[in-house]
Amino acid sequence: MKLYLAIPLVLLALLIAASGVAAVSRGWVLPRNRRHVRATRVYGWGQLVMAFALCWQLVFGLVISDSDARPTGTLIGGMMMLVGLGVMIVAQRAGGCRKGVSRS
């Protein structure tokens, strides 16, 4: 295992997962994203899927050395990342206006 890749990726996955848990449980989104996100809970679930997919790819890319399972596992992880990204995009484009924001 290459620790110089594993440690930053695990830390990144933990940060994304913590932000996802905050969005799902409290409806809190990072200040930079607040203006764009309309459905905070859905956005949080997308972040949790992204964090899981990043860990999935980390396991199959760096830990598992079976030559047959590695490409399939990383491909599944990539697809999960795309699903998570799609969920996050849907949460940004959800219908309706946020409270107190007028469209003009």
Side-chain angles (χ1 to χ4, degrees):
M1 179 189 311
K2 299 173 181 156
L3 287 178
Y4 64 90
L5 286 176
I7 293 172
L9 288 176
V10 167
L11 290 175
L12 180 65
L14 285 173
L15 287 174
I16 294 171
S19 178
V21 167
V24 169
S25 65
R26 302 283 182 190
W28 184 84
V29 180
L30 291 170
R32 182 178 173 114
N33 296 337
R34 281 185 193 149
R35 192 174 51 165
H36 304 289
V37 175
R38 293 197 170 91
T40 57
R41 306 226 190 279
V42 176
Y43 189 80
W45 282 110
Q47 285 182 319
L48 289 173
V49 170
M50 289 283 288
F52 180 76
L54 188 59
C55 290
W56 181 278
Q57 283 198 328
L58 182 75
V59 167
F60 276 95
L62 298 177
V63 177
I64 295 179
S65 61
D66 184 16
S67 62
D68 293 336
R70 181 178 275 184
T72 306
T74 54
L75 181 64
I76 290 170
M79 288 183 183
M80 282 192 290
M81 281 187 139
L82 287 176
V83 167
L85 184 64
V87 169
M88 290 169 65
I89 290 172
V90 166
Q92 289 181 356
R93 298 187 182 269
C97 244
R98 292 187 72 185
K99 294 177 186 175
V101 178
S102 63
R103 288 194 172 177
S104 48

